[in-house]
Amino acid sequence: MSTYDASCLCGACKMTVQTDPNPEAGACHCGKCRKWSGGIFLAVECSKPVIFNDNAPIGVYGSSEWGERVFCRICGSSLVWRSLDGAHSAVALQAFDDPESIPVTTEIFTDCKPGNYALSGQLRGMTEAEFMAQFTPQQEG
């Protein structure tokens, strides 16, 4: 497991992030992430819940029936997407003190991506249906 420091633009929300030993970042092109982040949401999946400093002025927005978004109430920085059940969380790549050390390797909701931009390199991609299928219970039978 690797531990990283991250923070918002104004520094009021400092956090400790634990990831897999060799973390990778992913790009989300869903409409909610694009609206929330002002562009492509680049994020790193966390292996444990994010720990914020005491009295961090975080705000939480319930963006769907299964997820919420955490942001700084002072500067507005988009910080964390997390599932309501606590099983998944992803921290904004640009919140990391050294974001360049974590490569972007995947993109999700590729079928929702507008045509006016494209990421370079060989990235693994998933459509909305492919991504959502990971979280849908499989029917027996």
Side-chain angles (χ1 to χ4, degrees), residues 65-114:
E65 63 278 0
W66 54 281
E68 60 189 13
R69 297 165 191 275
V70 180
F71 59 95
C72 175
R73 289 193 331 258
I74 295 173
C75 67
S77 293
S78 304
L79 298 173
V80 179
W81 176 92
R82 62 187 179 197
S83 61
L84 293 178
D85 66 5
H88 301 279
S89 61
V91 173
L93 177 61
Q94 298 307 322
F96 284 78
D97 289 349
D98 184 16
E100 199 171 355
S101 68
I102 302 172
V104 177
T105 59
T106 59
E107 32 184 351
I108 59 174
F109 289 78
T110 54
D111 53 329
C112 300
K113 183 185 82 57

mmCIF file of all heavy atoms in Angstrom, residues 65-114:
data_model
loop_
_atom_site.group_PDB
_atom_site.id
_atom_site.type_symbol
_atom_site.label_atom_id
_atom_site.label_comp_id
_atom_site.label_asym_id
_atom_site.label_seq_id
_atom_site.Cartn_x
_atom_site.Cartn_y
_atom_site.Cartn_z
ATOM 1 N N GLU A 65 -28.059 8.076 -6.699
ATOM 2 C CA GLU A 65 -28.575 7.172 -5.677
ATOM 3 C C GLU A 65 -27.502 6.261 -5.108
ATOM 4 O O GLU A 65 -27.727 5.567 -4.122
ATOM 5 C CB GLU A 65 -29.754 6.347 -6.213
ATOM 6 C CG GLU A 65 -29.420 5.423 -7.353
ATOM 7 C CD GLU A 65 -29.396 6.102 -8.732
ATOM 8 O OE1 GLU A 65 -29.642 7.319 -8.844
ATOM 9 O OE2 GLU A 65 -29.093 5.393 -9.704
ATOM 10 N N TRP A 66 -26.301 6.287 -5.680
ATOM 11 C CA TRP A 66 -25.243 5.407 -5.176
ATOM 12 C C TRP A 66 -23.907 6.109 -4.959
ATOM 13 O O TRP A 66 -22.944 5.488 -4.508
ATOM 14 C CB TRP A 66 -25.082 4.192 -6.088
ATOM 15 C CG TRP A 66 -24.863 4.517 -7.535
ATOM 16 C CD1 TRP A 66 -25.808 4.885 -8.454
ATOM 17 C CD2 TRP A 66 -23.631 4.511 -8.239
ATOM 18 N NE1 TRP A 66 -25.228 5.111 -9.673
ATOM 19 C CE2 TRP A 66 -23.892 4.881 -9.570
ATOM 20 C CE3 TRP A 66 -22.320 4.234 -7.870
ATOM 21 C CZ2 TRP A 66 -22.895 4.977 -10.529
ATOM 22 C CZ3 TRP A 66 -21.337 4.326 -8.840
ATOM 23 C CH2 TRP A 66 -21.643 4.689 -10.143
ATOM 24 N N GLY A 67 -23.819 7.418 -5.220
ATOM 25 C CA GLY A 67 -22.543 8.094 -5.038
ATOM 26 C C GLY A 67 -22.683 9.534 -4.596
ATOM 27 O O GLY A 67 -23.745 10.146 -4.715
ATOM 28 N N GLU A 68 -21.575 10.054 -4.055
ATOM 29 C CA GLU A 68 -21.544 11.452 -3.629
ATOM 30 C C GLU A 68 -20.183 12.043 -3.955
ATOM 31 O O GLU A 68 -19.202 11.325 -4.145
ATOM 32 C CB GLU A 68 -21.858 11.587 -2.138
ATOM 33 C CG GLU A 68 -20.912 10.855 -1.222
ATOM 34 C CD GLU A 68 -21.385 10.837 0.226
ATOM 35 O OE1 GLU A 68 -22.549 11.179 0.513
ATOM 36 O OE2 GLU A 68 -20.569 10.461 1.089
ATOM 37 N N ARG A 69 -20.148 13.367 -3.991
ATOM 38 C CA ARG A 69 -18.939 14.089 -4.367
ATOM 39 C C ARG A 69 -18.541 15.018 -3.232
ATOM 40 O O ARG A 69 -19.384 15.691 -2.658
ATOM 41 C CB ARG A 69 -19.189 14.859 -5.656
ATOM 42 C CG ARG A 69 -19.499 13.877 -6.795
ATOM 43 C CD ARG A 69 -20.117 14.559 -7.993
ATOM 44 N NE ARG A 69 -20.616 13.572 -8.931
ATOM 45 C CZ ARG A 69 -19.890 12.979 -9.870
ATOM 46 N NH1 ARG A 69 -18.611 13.263 -10.010
ATOM 47 N NH2 ARG A 69 -20.435 12.099 -10.681
ATOM 48 N N VAL A 70 -17.262 15.007 -2.912
ATOM 49 C CA VAL A 70 -16.731 15.798 -1.809
ATOM 50 C C VAL A 70 -15.907 16.946 -2.406
ATOM 51 O O VAL A 70 -15.110 16.729 -3.315
ATOM 52 C CB VAL A 70 -15.845 14.926 -0.886
ATOM 53 C CG1 VAL A 70 -15.292 15.741 0.265
ATOM 54 C CG2 VAL A 70 -16.631 13.721 -0.377
ATOM 55 N N PHE A 71 -16.098 18.145 -1.863
ATOM 56 C CA PHE A 71 -15.414 19.326 -2.370
ATOM 57 C C PHE A 71 -15.037 20.239 -1.207
ATOM 58 O O PHE A 71 -15.527 20.077 -0.093
ATOM 59 C CB PHE A 71 -16.306 20.086 -3.366
ATOM 60 C CG PHE A 71 -17.609 20.538 -2.759
ATOM 61 C CD1 PHE A 71 -17.746 21.818 -2.231
ATOM 62 C CD2 PHE A 71 -18.699 19.681 -2.710
ATOM 63 C CE1 PHE A 71 -18.948 22.232 -1.655
ATOM 64 C CE2 PHE A 71 -19.907 20.085 -2.139
ATOM 65 C CZ PHE A 71 -20.030 21.369 -1.609
ATOM 66 N N CYS A 72 -14.161 21.192 -1.464
ATOM 67 C CA CYS A 72 -13.790 22.184 -0.451
ATOM 68 C C CYS A 72 -14.835 23.294 -0.465
ATOM 69 O O CYS A 72 -15.101 23.876 -1.519
ATOM 70 C CB CYS A 72 -12.404 22.756 -0.732
ATOM 71 S SG CYS A 72 -11.953 24.099 0.406
ATOM 72 N N ARG A 73 -15.401 23.591 0.698
ATOM 73 C CA ARG A 73 -16.405 24.647 0.795
ATOM 74 C C ARG A 73 -15.800 26.044 0.662
ATOM 75 O O ARG A 73 -16.525 27.002 0.436
ATOM 76 C CB ARG A 73 -17.175 24.537 2.114
ATOM 77 C CG ARG A 73 -18.114 23.359 2.165
ATOM 78 C CD ARG A 73 -19.097 23.413 3.334
ATOM 79 N NE ARG A 73 -18.628 24.118 4.496
ATOM 80 C CZ ARG A 73 -18.162 23.563 5.610
ATOM 81 N NH1 ARG A 73 -18.103 22.264 5.722
ATOM 82 N NH2 ARG A 73 -17.766 24.307 6.625
ATOM 83 N N ILE A 74 -14.486 26.175 0.781
ATOM 84 C CA ILE A 74 -13.859 27.495 0.656
ATOM 85 C C ILE A 74 -13.491 27.798 -0.795
ATOM 86 O O ILE A 74 -13.918 28.799 -1.357
ATOM 87 C CB ILE A 74 -12.622 27.615 1.575
ATOM 88 C CG1 ILE A 74 -13.062 27.525 3.039
ATOM 89 C CG2 ILE A 74 -11.875 28.925 1.308
ATOM 90 C CD1 ILE A 74 -11.924 27.460 4.031
ATOM 91 N N CYS A 75 -12.678 26.946 -1.405
ATOM 92 C CA CYS A 75 -12.195 27.243 -2.760
ATOM 93 C C CYS A 75 -12.964 26.509 -3.854
ATOM 94 O O CYS A 75 -12.805 26.817 -5.031
ATOM 95 C CB CYS A 75 -10.701 26.941 -2.882
ATOM 96 S SG CYS A 75 -10.271 25.195 -2.742
ATOM 97 N N GLY A 76 -13.793 25.538 -3.490
ATOM 98 C CA GLY A 76 -14.609 24.829 -4.474
ATOM 99 C C GLY A 76 -13.934 23.669 -5.169
ATOM 100 O O GLY A 76 -14.530 23.058 -6.058
ATOM 101 N N SER A 77 -12.704 23.339 -4.799
ATOM 102 C CA SER A 77 -11.997 22.238 -5.464
ATOM 103 C C SER A 77 -12.774 20.929 -5.385
ATOM 104 O O SER A 77 -13.276 20.555 -4.334
ATOM 105 C CB SER A 77 -10.624 22.016 -4.818
ATOM 106 O OG SER A 77 -9.764 23.090 -5.045
ATOM 107 N N SER A 78 -12.850 20.240 -6.519
ATOM 108 C CA SER A 78 -13.424 18.893 -6.577
ATOM 109 C C SER A 78 -12.379 17.940 -6.011
ATOM 110 O O SER A 78 -11.252 17.904 -6.502
ATOM 111 C CB SER A 78 -13.726 18.507 -8.026
ATOM 112 O OG SER A 78 -14.579 19.455 -8.623
ATOM 113 N N LEU A 79 -12.736 17.170 -4.977
ATOM 114 C CA LEU A 79 -11.733 16.364 -4.287
ATOM 115 C C LEU A 79 -11.934 14.858 -4.398
ATOM 116 O O LEU A 79 -11.004 14.139 -4.738
ATOM 117 C CB LEU A 79 -11.688 16.762 -2.808
ATOM 118 C CG LEU A 79 -11.298 18.206 -2.539
ATOM 119 C CD1 LEU A 79 -11.446 18.532 -1.057
ATOM 120 C CD2 LEU A 79 -9.884 18.465 -3.016
ATOM 121 N N VAL A 80 -13.118 14.365 -4.058
ATOM 122 C CA VAL A 80 -13.322 12.919 -3.961
ATOM 123 C C VAL A 80 -14.702 12.537 -4.476
ATOM 124 O O VAL A 80 -15.692 13.195 -4.163
ATOM 125 C CB VAL A 80 -13.205 12.439 -2.491
ATOM 126 C CG1 VAL A 80 -13.431 10.936 -2.368
ATOM 127 C CG2 VAL A 80 -11.870 12.828 -1.887
ATOM 128 N N TRP A 81 -14.752 11.477 -5.272
ATOM 129 C CA TRP A 81 -16.016 10.796 -5.548
ATOM 130 C C TRP A 81 -16.001 9.559 -4.664
ATOM 131 O O TRP A 81 -14.973 8.869 -4.571
ATOM 132 C CB TRP A 81 -16.139 10.383 -7.016
ATOM 133 C CG TRP A 81 -17.411 9.610 -7.214
ATOM 134 C CD1 TRP A 81 -18.620 10.110 -7.577
ATOM 135 C CD2 TRP A 81 -17.605 8.206 -6.994
ATOM 136 N NE1 TRP A 81 -19.564 9.110 -7.593
ATOM 137 C CE2 TRP A 81 -18.959 7.922 -7.228
ATOM 138 C CE3 TRP A 81 -16.783 7.155 -6.600
ATOM 139 C CZ2 TRP A 81 -19.510 6.651 -7.102
ATOM 140 C CZ3 TRP A 81 -17.324 5.884 -6.462
ATOM 141 C CH2 TRP A 81 -18.664 5.643 -6.730
ATOM 142 N N ARG A 82 -17.139 9.251 -4.005
ATOM 143 C CA ARG A 82 -17.197 8.027 -3.192
ATOM 144 C C ARG A 82 -18.589 7.416 -3.261
ATOM 145 O O ARG A 82 -19.588 8.116 -3.408
ATOM 146 C CB ARG A 82 -16.779 8.296 -1.748
ATOM 147 C CG ARG A 82 -17.655 9.279 -1.013
ATOM 148 C CD ARG A 82 -17.078 9.622 0.346
ATOM 149 N NE ARG A 82 -17.922 10.580 1.042
ATOM 150 C CZ ARG A 82 -17.543 11.301 2.082
ATOM 151 N NH1 ARG A 82 -16.317 11.176 2.561
ATOM 152 N NH2 ARG A 82 -18.369 12.138 2.652
ATOM 153 N N SER A 83 -18.608 6.091 -3.171
ATOM 154 C CA SER A 83 -19.889 5.384 -3.167
ATOM 155 C C SER A 83 -20.525 5.522 -1.792
ATOM 156 O O SER A 83 -19.827 5.629 -0.775
ATOM 157 C CB SER A 83 -19.704 3.913 -3.542
ATOM 158 O OG SER A 83 -18.862 3.257 -2.610
ATOM 159 N N LEU A 84 -21.836 5.534 -1.770
ATOM 160 C CA LEU A 84 -22.550 5.705 -0.504
ATOM 161 C C LEU A 84 -22.287 4.563 0.465
ATOM 162 O O LEU A 84 -22.334 4.754 1.679
ATOM 163 C CB LEU A 84 -24.051 5.843 -0.751
ATOM 164 C CG LEU A 84 -24.487 7.111 -1.484
ATOM 165 C CD1 LEU A 84 -25.995 7.106 -1.713
ATOM 166 C CD2 LEU A 84 -24.059 8.351 -0.735
ATOM 167 N N ASP A 85 -22.013 3.364 -0.056
ATOM 168 C CA ASP A 85 -21.750 2.227 0.825
ATOM 169 C C ASP A 85 -20.319 2.220 1.373
ATOM 170 O O ASP A 85 -19.945 1.356 2.162
ATOM 171 C CB ASP A 85 -22.060 0.905 0.121
ATOM 172 C CG ASP A 85 -21.148 0.605 -1.063
ATOM 173 O OD1 ASP A 85 -20.184 1.376 -1.316
ATOM 174 O OD2 ASP A 85 -21.413 -0.395 -1.750
ATOM 175 N N GLY A 86 -19.497 3.184 0.943
ATOM 176 C CA GLY A 86 -18.125 3.289 1.434
ATOM 177 C C GLY A 86 -17.142 2.327 0.797
ATOM 178 O O GLY A 86 -15.971 2.317 1.145
ATOM 179 N N ALA A 87 -17.595 1.527 -0.145
ATOM 180 C CA ALA A 87 -16.733 0.517 -0.751
ATOM 181 C C ALA A 87 -15.751 1.087 -1.773
ATOM 182 O O ALA A 87 -14.708 0.497 -2.031
ATOM 183 C CB ALA A 87 -17.580 -0.572 -1.412
ATOM 184 N N HIS A 88 -16.081 2.233 -2.366
ATOM 185 C CA HIS A 88 -15.234 2.797 -3.418
ATOM 186 C C HIS A 88 -15.058 4.294 -3.196
ATOM 187 O O HIS A 88 -16.004 4.993 -2.840
ATOM 188 C CB HIS A 88 -15.861 2.590 -4.800
ATOM 189 C CG HIS A 88 -16.098 1.168 -5.133
ATOM 190 N ND1 HIS A 88 -15.108 0.345 -5.598
ATOM 191 C CD2 HIS A 88 -17.207 0.404 -5.047
ATOM 192 C CE1 HIS A 88 -15.607 -0.861 -5.792
ATOM 193 N NE2 HIS A 88 -16.870 -0.854 -5.458
ATOM 194 N N SER A 89 -13.845 4.758 -3.443
ATOM 195 C CA SER A 89 -13.604 6.199 -3.468
ATOM 196 C C SER A 89 -12.475 6.481 -4.443
ATOM 197 O O SER A 89 -11.584 5.657 -4.652
ATOM 198 C CB SER A 89 -13.285 6.744 -2.076
ATOM 199 O OG SER A 89 -12.133 6.161 -1.545
ATOM 200 N N ALA A 90 -12.551 7.651 -5.042
ATOM 201 C CA ALA A 90 -11.544 8.063 -6.014
ATOM 202 C C ALA A 90 -11.208 9.526 -5.752
ATOM 203 O O ALA A 90 -12.102 10.371 -5.670
ATOM 204 C CB ALA A 90 -12.067 7.872 -7.431
ATOM 205 N N VAL A 91 -9.927 9.815 -5.621
ATOM 206 C CA VAL A 91 -9.454 11.160 -5.319
ATOM 207 C C VAL A 91 -8.990 11.835 -6.604
ATOM 208 O O VAL A 91 -8.310 11.223 -7.433
ATOM 209 C CB VAL A 91 -8.294 11.111 -4.297
ATOM 210 C CG1 VAL A 91 -7.682 12.491 -4.094
ATOM 211 C CG2 VAL A 91 -8.777 10.541 -2.983
ATOM 212 N N ALA A 92 -9.334 13.109 -6.744
ATOM 213 C CA ALA A 92 -8.919 13.875 -7.912
ATOM 214 C C ALA A 92 -7.402 13.834 -8.052
ATOM 215 O O ALA A 92 -6.673 14.152 -7.102
ATOM 216 C CB ALA A 92 -9.404 15.316 -7.785
ATOM 217 N N LEU A 93 -6.932 13.454 -9.207
ATOM 218 C CA LEU A 93 -5.490 13.340 -9.448
ATOM 219 C C LEU A 93 -4.767 14.649 -9.168
ATOM 220 O O LEU A 93 -3.680 14.662 -8.586
ATOM 221 C CB LEU A 93 -5.237 12.890 -10.892
ATOM 222 C CG LEU A 93 -3.786 12.798 -11.340
ATOM 223 C CD1 LEU A 93 -3.011 11.781 -10.501
ATOM 224 C CD2 LEU A 93 -3.703 12.454 -12.813
ATOM 225 N N GLN A 94 -5.345 15.761 -9.553
ATOM 226 C CA GLN A 94 -4.658 17.042 -9.395
ATOM 227 C C GLN A 94 -4.606 17.511 -7.953
ATOM 228 O O GLN A 94 -3.898 18.472 -7.632
ATOM 229 C CB GLN A 94 -5.292 18.092 -10.298
ATOM 230 C CG GLN A 94 -5.179 17.749 -11.774
ATOM 231 C CD GLN A 94 -3.756 17.454 -12.241
ATOM 232 O OE1 GLN A 94 -2.807 18.088 -11.799
ATOM 233 N NE2 GLN A 94 -3.596 16.489 -13.127
ATOM 234 N N ALA A 95 -5.312 16.836 -7.034
ATOM 235 C CA ALA A 95 -5.211 17.164 -5.607
ATOM 236 C C ALA A 95 -3.936 16.592 -4.987
ATOM 237 O O ALA A 95 -3.495 17.058 -3.942
ATOM 238 C CB ALA A 95 -6.430 16.637 -4.856
ATOM 239 N N PHE A 96 -3.329 15.601 -5.628
ATOM 240 C CA PHE A 96 -2.104 14.993 -5.113
ATOM 241 C C PHE A 96 -0.954 16.001 -5.181
ATOM 242 O O PHE A 96 -0.868 16.794 -6.118
ATOM 243 C CB PHE A 96 -1.741 13.740 -5.913
ATOM 244 C CG PHE A 96 -2.593 12.550 -5.591
ATOM 245 C CD1 PHE A 96 -3.882 12.443 -6.102
ATOM 246 C CD2 PHE A 96 -2.123 11.537 -4.772
ATOM 247 C CE1 PHE A 96 -4.686 11.351 -5.807
ATOM 248 C CE2 PHE A 96 -2.918 10.442 -4.473
ATOM 249 C CZ PHE A 96 -4.198 10.351 -4.984
ATOM 250 N N ASP A 97 -0.065 15.947 -4.208
ATOM 251 C CA ASP A 97 1.082 16.852 -4.199
ATOM 252 C C ASP A 97 1.979 16.639 -5.413
ATOM 253 O O ASP A 97 2.604 17.580 -5.893
ATOM 254 C CB ASP A 97 1.886 16.688 -2.906
ATOM 255 C CG ASP A 97 1.154 17.244 -1.693
ATOM 256 O OD1 ASP A 97 0.122 17.932 -1.855
ATOM 257 O OD2 ASP A 97 1.621 16.992 -0.564
ATOM 258 N N ASP A 98 2.058 15.411 -5.925
ATOM 259 C CA ASP A 98 2.885 15.103 -7.096
ATOM 260 C C ASP A 98 2.049 14.307 -8.097
ATOM 261 O O ASP A 98 2.257 13.110 -8.280
ATOM 262 C CB ASP A 98 4.132 14.315 -6.671
ATOM 263 C CG ASP A 98 5.071 14.050 -7.827
ATOM 264 O OD1 ASP A 98 4.946 14.699 -8.888
ATOM 265 O OD2 ASP A 98 5.949 13.173 -7.674
ATOM 266 N N PRO A 99 1.095 14.956 -8.779
ATOM 267 C CA PRO A 99 0.202 14.216 -9.668
ATOM 268 C C PRO A 99 0.913 13.560 -10.845
ATOM 269 O O PRO A 99 0.453 12.540 -11.356
ATOM 270 C CB PRO A 99 -0.789 15.274 -10.150
ATOM 271 C CG PRO A 99 -0.094 16.571 -9.977
ATOM 272 C CD PRO A 99 0.813 16.391 -8.791
ATOM 273 N N GLU A 100 2.041 14.110 -11.253
ATOM 274 C CA GLU A 100 2.759 13.573 -12.404
ATOM 275 C C GLU A 100 3.343 12.181 -12.135
ATOM 276 O O GLU A 100 3.654 11.438 -13.057
ATOM 277 C CB GLU A 100 3.862 14.540 -12.808
ATOM 278 C CG GLU A 100 4.351 14.337 -14.202
ATOM 279 C CD GLU A 100 5.277 15.450 -14.655
ATOM 280 O OE1 GLU A 100 5.468 16.432 -13.911
ATOM 281 O OE2 GLU A 100 5.818 15.318 -15.757
ATOM 282 N N SER A 101 3.449 11.815 -10.859
ATOM 283 C CA SER A 101 4.020 10.511 -10.520
ATOM 284 C C SER A 101 3.030 9.362 -10.725
ATOM 285 O O SER A 101 3.411 8.199 -10.634
ATOM 286 C CB SER A 101 4.502 10.522 -9.066
ATOM 287 O OG SER A 101 3.401 10.599 -8.177
ATOM 288 N N ILE A 102 1.765 9.682 -11.000
ATOM 289 C CA ILE A 102 0.739 8.655 -11.165
ATOM 290 C C ILE A 102 0.244 8.688 -12.609
ATOM 291 O O ILE A 102 -0.354 9.669 -13.043
ATOM 292 C CB ILE A 102 -0.429 8.884 -10.184
ATOM 293 C CG1 ILE A 102 0.096 8.896 -8.745
ATOM 294 C CG2 ILE A 102 -1.496 7.807 -10.368
ATOM 295 C CD1 ILE A 102 -0.921 9.293 -7.700
ATOM 296 N N PRO A 103 0.491 7.627 -13.378
ATOM 297 C CA PRO A 103 0.099 7.638 -14.787
ATOM 298 C C PRO A 103 -1.408 7.467 -14.981
ATOM 299 O O PRO A 103 -2.080 6.781 -14.215
ATOM 300 C CB PRO A 103 0.855 6.429 -15.359
ATOM 301 C CG PRO A 103 0.985 5.496 -14.202
ATOM 302 C CD PRO A 103 1.161 6.380 -12.990
ATOM 303 N N VAL A 104 -1.930 8.118 -16.022
ATOM 304 C CA VAL A 104 -3.320 7.935 -16.436
ATOM 305 C C VAL A 104 -3.340 6.758 -17.403
ATOM 306 O O VAL A 104 -2.665 6.785 -18.438
ATOM 307 C CB VAL A 104 -3.880 9.205 -17.115
ATOM 308 C CG1 VAL A 104 -5.303 8.971 -17.597
ATOM 309 C CG2 VAL A 104 -3.814 10.384 -16.154
ATOM 310 N N THR A 105 -4.073 5.692 -17.047
ATOM 311 C CA THR A 105 -4.041 4.456 -17.839
ATOM 312 C C THR A 105 -5.400 4.014 -18.375
ATOM 313 O O THR A 105 -5.454 3.158 -19.243
ATOM 314 C CB THR A 105 -3.464 3.303 -17.002
ATOM 315 O OG1 THR A 105 -4.290 3.123 -15.847
ATOM 316 C CG2 THR A 105 -2.024 3.592 -16.576
ATOM 317 N N THR A 106 -6.481 4.575 -17.833
ATOM 318 C CA THR A 106 -7.814 4.124 -18.249
ATOM 319 C C THR A 106 -8.742 5.314 -18.460
ATOM 320 O O THR A 106 -8.498 6.412 -17.954
ATOM 321 C CB THR A 106 -8.461 3.209 -17.187
ATOM 322 O OG1 THR A 106 -8.570 3.936 -15.961
ATOM 323 C CG2 THR A 106 -7.676 1.943 -16.958
ATOM 324 N N GLU A 107 -9.807 5.064 -19.208
ATOM 325 C CA GLU A 107 -10.891 6.029 -19.315
ATOM 326 C C GLU A 107 -12.207 5.269 -19.296
ATOM 327 O O GLU A 107 -12.313 4.184 -19.851
ATOM 328 C CB GLU A 107 -10.791 6.951 -20.532
ATOM 329 C CG GLU A 107 -10.196 6.427 -21.745
ATOM 330 C CD GLU A 107 -10.056 7.467 -22.868
ATOM 331 O OE1 GLU A 107 -10.560 8.593 -22.815
ATOM 332 O OE2 GLU A 107 -9.434 7.082 -23.847
ATOM 333 N N ILE A 108 -13.173 5.850 -18.583
ATOM 334 C CA ILE A 108 -14.487 5.228 -18.487
ATOM 335 C C ILE A 108 -15.549 6.170 -19.049
ATOM 336 O O ILE A 108 -15.310 7.362 -19.178
ATOM 337 C CB ILE A 108 -14.824 4.805 -17.038
ATOM 338 C CG1 ILE A 108 -14.798 6.004 -16.092
ATOM 339 C CG2 ILE A 108 -13.859 3.713 -16.564
ATOM 340 C CD1 ILE A 108 -15.273 5.675 -14.666
ATOM 341 N N PHE A 109 -16.703 5.590 -19.377
ATOM 342 C CA PHE A 109 -17.798 6.325 -20.014
ATOM 343 C C PHE A 109 -17.312 6.915 -21.341
ATOM 344 O O PHE A 109 -17.630 8.052 -21.688
ATOM 345 C CB PHE A 109 -18.353 7.416 -19.088
ATOM 346 C CG PHE A 109 -19.130 6.878 -17.916
ATOM 347 C CD1 PHE A 109 -18.479 6.348 -16.810
ATOM 348 C CD2 PHE A 109 -20.514 6.899 -17.918
ATOM 349 C CE1 PHE A 109 -19.180 5.844 -15.731
ATOM 350 C CE2 PHE A 109 -21.253 6.399 -16.841
ATOM 351 C CZ PHE A 109 -20.586 5.874 -15.750
ATOM 352 N N THR A 110 -16.554 6.108 -22.071
ATOM 353 C CA THR A 110 -15.987 6.583 -23.335
ATOM 354 C C THR A 110 -17.069 6.936 -24.344
ATOM 355 O O THR A 110 -16.855 7.804 -25.197
ATOM 356 C CB THR A 110 -15.044 5.537 -23.939
ATOM 357 O OG1 THR A 110 -15.739 4.285 -24.054
ATOM 358 C CG2 THR A 110 -13.801 5.352 -23.071
ATOM 359 N N ASP A 111 -18.225 6.298 -24.243
ATOM 360 C CA ASP A 111 -19.316 6.602 -25.164
ATOM 361 C C ASP A 111 -20.027 7.911 -24.806
ATOM 362 O O ASP A 111 -20.852 8.401 -25.568
ATOM 363 C CB ASP A 111 -20.321 5.449 -25.223
ATOM 364 C CG ASP A 111 -20.835 5.027 -23.855
ATOM 365 O OD1 ASP A 111 -20.094 5.139 -22.853
ATOM 366 O OD2 ASP A 111 -21.982 4.553 -23.783
ATOM 367 N N CYS A 112 -19.693 8.503 -23.673
ATOM 368 C CA CYS A 112 -20.281 9.782 -23.238
ATOM 369 C C CYS A 112 -19.341 10.955 -23.501
ATOM 370 O O CYS A 112 -19.728 12.108 -23.294
ATOM 371 C CB CYS A 112 -20.612 9.725 -21.747
ATOM 372 S SG CYS A 112 -21.774 8.434 -21.292
ATOM 373 N N LYS A 113 -18.136 10.665 -23.939
ATOM 374 C CA LYS A 113 -17.120 11.694 -24.145
ATOM 375 C C LYS A 113 -17.509 12.578 -25.322
ATOM 376 O O LYS A 113 -17.823 12.092 -26.394
ATOM 377 C CB LYS A 113 -15.763 11.040 -24.414
ATOM 378 C CG LYS A 113 -14.622 12.011 -24.572
ATOM 379 C CD LYS A 113 -13.339 11.321 -24.965
ATOM 380 C CE LYS A 113 -13.233 11.029 -26.414
ATOM 381 N NZ LYS A 113 -13.347 12.156 -27.311
ATOM 382 N N PRO A 114 -17.476 13.904 -25.120
ATOM 383 C CA PRO A 114 -17.732 14.800 -26.251
ATOM 384 C C PRO A 114 -16.637 14.651 -27.308
ATOM 385 O O PRO A 114 -15.522 14.248 -27.001
ATOM 386 C CB PRO A 114 -17.673 16.198 -25.633
ATOM 387 C CG PRO A 114 -17.742 16.013 -24.168
ATOM 388 C CD PRO A 114 -17.243 14.636 -23.884
#
